[in-house]
Amino acid sequence: MPQDLPFNRPLVEKYDRPGPRYTSYPTAPQFHAAFAEDDYRAAAERSNRAESPKPLSVYVHIPFCKSLCYYCACNKIITHNTERAAEYLEWLKQEIRVQAALFDASRRMTQLHLGGGTPTYLSNAQLGELMEALDAAFHFAPPEAREFSLEVDPRTVTPEQIHELRALGFNRLSFGVQDFDADVQQAVNRIQSEEQVVALVQAAREAGFQSVSVDLIYGLPLQTVASFDVTLDKIIALRPDRIAAYSYAHLPELFKAQRLIRPEDMPPPERKLELLELTIRRLSAAGYVYIGMDHFALPEDELSLARENGTLQRNFQGYSTHADCDLIGLGITSIGKVGDSYSQNVKETAQYQHRLAEGRLPVMRGYRLNDDDRLRRDVINALMCHGRIDFATIEAAHGIVFRDYFADALAELEEMAADGLLAIREGEIEVLPAGRLMMRNAAMAFDAYLARSAGRYSRTV
């Protein structure tokens, strides 16, 4: 086991408890309906008036899927009626126009991400329409300065279509693989062959995509260490630039689709830790760098370089090198971050269409950060992205005495320090190699809302 990421089973078991992923702080359970459209418009106006307005990032939620993956906890609509997607696209174009009008034309759009659902449920012609609408409304940064990505279900595209996606302006792809094992695929109702994925990854390379990512999930029904080791063999042979290995959160009481998984097929809790240990060992030995949370990248990838030079950031899509933007969320359920606020769109297509038909934004809820929120967000981001909190930097930015302001948090972290996961020094907190898997636990000590949060979270390891 490489010393960069030691795996101590007793400590992992000790700290494996529910907690936020901190793609934002405060986290989504703090969003509230009192934050409405006028608050969002005011946030956009404040962001335009900033001394140095941030570039723009856009997230588009495409909720449609043709079949149901039983493990899925995403907001999706299962349908074979492609007319629904065509209708949704027209409403998306309307929201694009309304949103773009709020932001100064001088602000460049440097990042785009299409998520779902299944973004490739839309035909390439429809994706072309979407790109044209975005291009007409926003000001795209030059090709060399932008990151335009989308999630791809390998079952929905051909190698020829991959080349077409590159021609539309996308330069990053993320393929959902989850597991190559046939029994596991059957148990979660997601059947796709290794040959499909290999052909698509090869096409992405040939088409000149800057980055190819692959998503895996460990802890799925019927997974064994031996079977997942075979999947890892195949993924390592493909050599994607990035690999996300997500821990499956089985919450059938919250997500109806998960009730279709047979309880007797679920692996025991200790199996998940075995799978995690296997994943870390295999990917580290193959030369991948552990970025944090579930993310691994090749040493020459932008994420690895950002981790080394201290520019790594975090947003609602996870770790990023372009996260310091105002994020505009488009489509149902999508989340945005504009200025000192978060916002989320309505969850139902009928509500979405109704509000847009009235010329309104479909904002359902949100949150405006106060001074304490901004302080804690900076602390948690420093911890999650850089593994280190420099007291002097935080004190200078926020006018506090760190040890006084966070006396309770420091006391709470003493146990992690005693376990060799953190070093608490005179002017800093540093995450030690043994603690890198438990960064979320350390961040939780600085979360002012956690004790009274109504959120249901995945486990931290």
Side-chain angles (χ1 to χ4, degrees):
M1 176 73 64
Q3 289 306 301
D4 183 50
L5 193 61
F7 190 96
N8 184 311
R9 178 71 63 83
L11 286 178
V12 169
E13 290 176 343
K14 176 180 177 178
Y15 288 96
D16 186 22
R17 63 189 69 153
R21 299 181 62 83
Y22 292 113
T23 51
S24 72
Y25 181 84
T27 56
Q30 304 312 316
F31 298 1
H32 53 78
F35 184 101
E37 179 181 359
D38 56 343
D39 297 290
Y40 182 85
R41 290 180 178 275
E45 179 57 31
R46 287 193 301 272
S47 77
N48 286 328
R49 294 200 308 265
E51 187 174 338
S52 299
K54 294 180 178 181
L56 299 177
S57 172
V58 171
Y59 171 76
V60 184
H61 188 72
I62 311 295
F64 303 102
C65 296
K66 288 185 178 177
S67 63
L68 178 65
C69 302
Y70 296 164
Y71 58 79
C72 184
C74 298
N75 292 291
K76 71 274 184 187
I77 298 169
I78 310 299
T79 179
H80 283 272
N81 181 5
T82 55
E83 285 301 312
R84 294 188 66 182
E87 183 182 16
Y88 182 77
L89 178 59
E90 292 306 312
W91 289 111
L92 265 179
K93 293 178 187 177
Q94 169 69 4
E95 188 185 6
I96 288 168
R97 291 189 290 268
V98 175
Q99 285 271 17
L102 300 178
F103 297 91
D104 286 350
S106 60
R107 301 175 69 176
R108 292 286 186 179
M109 180 174 147
T110 61
Q111 189 178 47
L112 170 68
H113 183 74
L114 271 58
T118 305
T120 46
Y121 185 97
L122 297 181
S123 68
N124 280 10
Q126 289 173 320
L127 288 170
E129 287 183 48
L130 177 60
M131 293 297 282
E132 287 176 7
L134 288 166
D135 192 17
F138 295 100
H139 294 260
F140 286 2
E144 67 275 8
R146 65 195 190 205
E147 181 181 285
F148 285 8
S149 63
L150 81 164
E151 299 166 10
V152 175
D153 180 343
R155 301 170 299 174
T156 63
V157 295
T158 64
E160 292 73 25
Q161 287 173 299
I162 293 293
H163 284 266
E164 293 169 7
L165 290 172
R166 183 70 186 94
L168 288 177
F170 294 100
N171 55 16
R172 294 178 180 271
L173 288 179
S174 175
F175 292 107
V177 172
Q178 325 317 348
D179 196 318
F180 279 128
D181 185 85
D183 291 337
V184 175
Q185 291 186 1
Q186 188 71 43
V188 298
N189 196 42
R190 186 185 175 100
I191 311 297
Q192 59 191 30
S193 71
E194 177 190 357
E195 290 73 23
Q196 280 178 298
V197 175
V198 170
L200 295 176
V201 170
Q202 183 177 345
R205 299 290 191 208
E206 293 169 351
F209 278 87
Q210 292 175 16
S211 177
V212 174
S213 304
V214 166
D215 292 346
L216 302 174
I217 300 178
Y218 65 91
L220 291 174
L222 300 181
Q223 273 181 341
T224 66
V225 170
S227 72
F228 202 59
D229 198 28
V230 174
T231 287
L232 290 170
D233 273 339
K234 295 174 178 179
I235 292 297
I236 289 168
L238 278 175
R239 204 72 179 161
D241 302 278
R242 300 176 186 178
I243 298 172
Y246 296 110
S247 170
Y248 172 53
H250 190 58
L251 298 169
E253 66 278 12
L254 289 183
F255 304 112
K256 188 175 180 181
Q258 295 184 357
R259 297 171 202 167
L260 298 170
I261 292 174
R262 300 195 312 169
E264 62 268 28
D265 289 344
M266 287 301 299
E270 61 270 20
R271 174 83 48 78
K272 285 190 73 174
L273 296 183
E274 292 169 358
L275 292 167
L276 173 60
E277 184 174 4
L278 170 72
T279 302
I280 291 168
R281 177 169 54 80
R282 291 298 315 278
L283 295 184
S284 298
Y288 283 88
V289 175
Y290 179 68
I291 303 300
M293 299 285 290
D294 324 284
H295 290 63
F296 298 80
L298 291 175
E300 61 273 19
D301 185 83
E302 283 185 2
L303 280 184
S304 297
L305 299 176
R307 176 181 169 244
E308 289 298 315
N309 65 28
T311 60
L312 188 67
Q313 299 172 63
R314 193 156 173 79
N315 64 9
F316 291 109
Q317 279 81 59
Y319 285 104
S320 173
T321 59
H322 290 254
D324 193 28
C325 300
D326 277 329
L327 172 62
I328 300 166
L330 301 172
I332 61 169
T333 76
S334 64
I335 296 178
K337 177 180 80 73
V338 174
D340 58 356
S341 75
Y342 302 119
S343 58
Q344 184 172 26
N345 278 354
V346 296
K347 295 184 177 183
E348 303 294 334
T349 53
Q351 294 175 297
Y352 181 70
Q353 295 169 5
H354 177 70
R355 295 201 185 191
L356 288 169
E358 294 181 339
R360 299 164 57 202
L361 288 167
V363 175
M364 171 185 71
R365 61 177 188 153
Y367 187 91
R368 183 177 180 185
L369 282 71
N370 59 36
D371 289 342
D372 179 71
D373 295 328
R374 284 187 283 271
L375 163 60
R376 292 176 186 272
R377 179 172 67 179
D378 284 354
V379 169
I380 289 172
N381 279 343
L383 196 63
M384 297 290 290
C385 293
H386 314 306
R388 180 176 177 270
I389 303 168
D390 180 71
F391 295 177
T393 300
I394 298 296
E395 289 172 344
H398 296 277
I400 63 158
V401 177
F402 193 96
R403 283 190 170 274
D404 292 344
Y405 199 98
F406 291 113
D408 290 349
L410 289 168
E412 189 175 334
L413 291 175
E414 286 293 344
E415 184 177 7
M416 292 188 76
D419 284 333
L421 306 179
L422 303 171
I424 303 175
R425 305 189 180 104
E426 183 62 32
E428 68 170 3
I429 297 172
E430 181 185 4
V431 179
L432 300 177
R436 293 191 63 210
L437 288 173
M438 286 74 110
M439 285 191 296
R440 288 164 70 182
N441 299 78
M444 287 159 65
F446 296 97
D447 189 332
Y449 302 100
L450 195 58
R452 59 180 186 272
S453 174
R456 293 292 301 270
Y457 300 112
S458 62
R459 299 185 76 84
T460 55
V461 182

